Every structure is written in C-alpha cells, then in structure tokens.
Amino acid sequence: MEKENLWLTYEAEQLEGLEKVCKDYRDFLDAGKTERECVSEIIRQAEARGYRNLYAAERLVPGDKVYVSWMEKSIALFHIGTDNLEDGMNILGAHIDSPRLDLKQNPLYEESGLAYFDTHYYGGIKKYQWVTVPLAIHGVIVRKDGTKEVVSIGEKDTDPIFAVTDLLVHLSSKQLEKKASVVVEGENLDILIGSRPLKGEEKDAAAAQIVKLLEEIYHIEKEDLMSAELEVVPAGKARECGLDRSMIMAYGQDDRICAYTSLAAMLDTETVTRTACCILVDKEEIGSVGATGMKSRFFENAVAELYDKVGGYTELKLRRTLAHSTMISSDVSAAYDPNYADVYDKKSSCFFGKGPVFNKHTGSRGKGGSNDANAEYIAKLRKVFGDNKVGFQMAELGRIDAGGGGTIAFILAEYGMEVIDGGVAILCMHAPWEIASKADVYEAYRGYRAFLKDMK
Ligand code: MN
Ligand code: MN
C-alpha cells in the first residue's frame, strides 16, 4: 500500500510542532556527541522536568518521576503510573553510543616532526570515510587521585580541529587499486595533533610540545592518558539539509535520533496509567557488552530498586513486571537510497517522509540474531498508532543476505516481554555525517507519545 508522504498531511500547527521538535533535536545532538555527554544532557533536561535521582528518593507514588544513571554512560527514566507495577511497563529503549575513533591508551607519538594520537575505531565504520574531515576530541581524563578533566576540543569556532590525513591523488595510482575495505587501514587512522617543536627538546620535540600543552590546559601528565576515554568524532553542529530544509544532517543520528525522540516523548508525557520507562544505553555498537551495555544487569537492578521504593518488592513481582512489559526497541533503519537500489528490496524498504519504521525482525542469514516480534503485539501497535493518527511503515533492512545488523531488542525479550524493533530511517548510516527526514523525527516523537499513553 502506497502511503502518503507526511509532509502533505501536516497542517500549520503540526508544522510548527515539527520545527520545534527538530530544533530541540539538533540542540541535543550538539550537546551530546558521546554517551557521557548524552547522559549529562538527559539528566539536565529530566531534572528540569521534575525527575529526581531514584537513589535520593524515598517512597514512590503514582505520578513520581525518577532516573537512574549508570557510570555516567547509560540511563533509565521512570514515570510511575496508576496501574500496579507488576502489570508491566511501557518501555522505550534506544542507544546513545555511536561509531567513532577512540584514542589508544598510549596515544601520543611523533614521526618525522609530526605529532599524532593513535586511535582504535569503535563500531562498524567504512574507514575511508574518516580521512580529511574536521575532527573533535571529547571525553574524560581521570588522574590517579580520582579527579577528572572533561575534554571537548573542536566544536567552538575558535577551537582547533584535528584530522586524519589521506594520500594525494597524484601519488595514489597503487592505493586506488586496493579494495575499499583496506584502502585506508584501521591502524592508519591516527589523528594529526601537532607540528610545532618545543624549543630545547632534542628528540620528539613536536610530541613534547603536546605534552606541555596538556599540562598547561588540563594539568595532566602524559601518563594520565592511560586512564582516559577520549573519543574522536566529526567536528561541527547538526545542520538542516536540502534547499527545502526537509532533512537533518549530523553526526551520531544512529541512534540519538531514536534516543532523543524517546526522551522527548517521555518528558512531554504528563500522566500515565501503565508505568512509563525510557532506557538509553551505551555499547550497542560493539554488541551491548560491558557494565553500561544492555546485556548488563543495571536495568534489572534499577527496576528492582524502583519496586522497592514503590513498596511490596519481591523477586517474583520483579519478574512479572519485566515479563508483562511492552517495549519499542528503537534503532535506525536503512532508508531506501536510489543510488544503491541493488541492495534493497523496494517492497520491504522504508522511505523518508513515511514515518517511523517497525521491523518485525532484524538480524542476518535467515533472521539470525534477531528478535522476532509477535503478530499479536504488532496488531496492538497498529491500533495504538492508528487511533492516534501516527504514520508508520513496516520494513526490513535491505535485501536478503545483503548484510544485516542487530539491536538491543533480543536482550529485553529474554525477560519474556513483548518487544519490537522500531525507529527512524536514515541515509548514510554509520558515516561521519548521517541524514534523516524531519518529518520522520516528528512522527517518531508522536508515535512514542502515543505508545506511552495507550499501549496496554
Ligand atoms: Mn543503532
Ligand atoms: Mn549502528
């Protein structure tokens, strides 16, 4: 069934709402270029809307709003409903980590008078896309005494930026014969950090200059970089894209486009019957591992703490709460790209301007590694979205056996809850700059609000 493009359906009032949500979304992207920055921005926004730290709260009653942040990289928000907690929650989940280059733990070196930071890429990237683009460094450096420096260099107009060099085309005849997967190799994704020798240094004087600057600016020693998490990301702000300004081009839209629309829906929801929950997690891009990834128990523990403060906690009730919950596990989908038509099945693709996308399943090689949502649950979602006049589309990621990918959906499904993959379609997924439709951002936000309000 051919769906009408959302832009043709919006009245003036909705277009105003769309522009506001998209402006706030761009501001969120600019404030959160790492999972840590996202968590602090989410806490800032949540506290301004009446959310409190769960651990600081006493007894919780319906209407109360609390959050739990885990190691400053993952966060869960809860809005207590009037229904019993053990009847389940309506959960919106997304991830806030994005592909990037991480600094190695002994990053600084010098070669032929040029100083570099050595990196190790994080998540799935096409390495050749990361050369000769302006880069910024974000993160933290922690000293042995536990004190911490927060770093962000390359975003302000007056900041310096960084870059990975590429070979000039004039000398590239051999390089251009290579396969795209090795034309730029991971070990060569080192960022150029300096070229000005420090006076009086005999060896590695350019690197010595960098050490001196780190001492001056951050009061850290070179060894402190061992206990740092410094992430190299594309420098610059999220921008409107297209002469008609119908799109957004920005770094990290996978998956902050779903994280932001889920968060905004959560914060803008005034009353709920079923308890509403929003989980925004780290480490999805490397398999949801670690203490801050979805496979960690932090979420289950947070729900146990929540139940304890609501009153009447038992292990059985906790299990019931999770098993009776319903979830939209939101992650980006691959929007149909006419330039690469051969990797898509057009009949099962998603398109710009047609609303958020549901994927019954993700995975690869015969749905391997996916969650597979139940037909009964999909029918309920169709009703909630339909009753609230929210546009949506059903799609798969690309042609069968063209590739594939996973999400956090299957991890939550292990509790026995109803989970579906959903999200927003984007172009150039995992590229330094990704493109999305503003109409889809707005419609996802509307859909998530409808889900929190009406899913039973
Ligand atoms: Mn993703
Ligand atoms: Mn991804």
Side-chain angles (χ1 to χ4, degrees), residues 120-163:
H120 193 144
Y121 67 97
Y122 173 96
I125 61 168
K126 287 176 157 180
K127 294 165 197 107
Y128 65 79
Q129 293 177 331
W130 290 74
V131 296
T132 68
V133 291
L135 298 169
I137 301 176
H138 293 242
V140 296
I141 305 165
V142 187
R143 298 181 196 86
K144 270 198 289 192
D145 65 3
T147 55
K148 194 183 288 185
E149 289 294 326
V150 175
V151 175
S152 171
I153 323 168
E155 302 296 350
K156 291 196 219 86
D157 289 345
T158 50
D159 279 354
I161 48 160
F162 313 97

Side-chain angles (χ1 to χ4, degrees), residues 7 77 147 191 211 317 331 387 395 424 445:
W7 288 103
L77 301 102
T147 55
I191 65 169
V211 172
K317 283 183 178 176
D331 209 340
D387 288 351
V424 182
Y445 160 77

Side-chain angles (χ1 to χ4, degrees), residues 31 81 203 205 208 249 253 256 291 295 304 349 355 358 363 389-390 419 437:
K203 200 173 165 289
M249 188 167 190
Q253 299 203 74
R256 292 169 193 143
K295 285 180 184 163
S349 292
F358 286 120
K389 299 190 167 49
V390 179
V419 184
S437 156

Side-chain angles (χ1 to χ4, degrees), residues 95 254-255 284-285 331-332:
H95 69 91
D254 175 3
D255 185 33
E284 191 277 342
E285 295 293 359
D331 209 340
V332 290

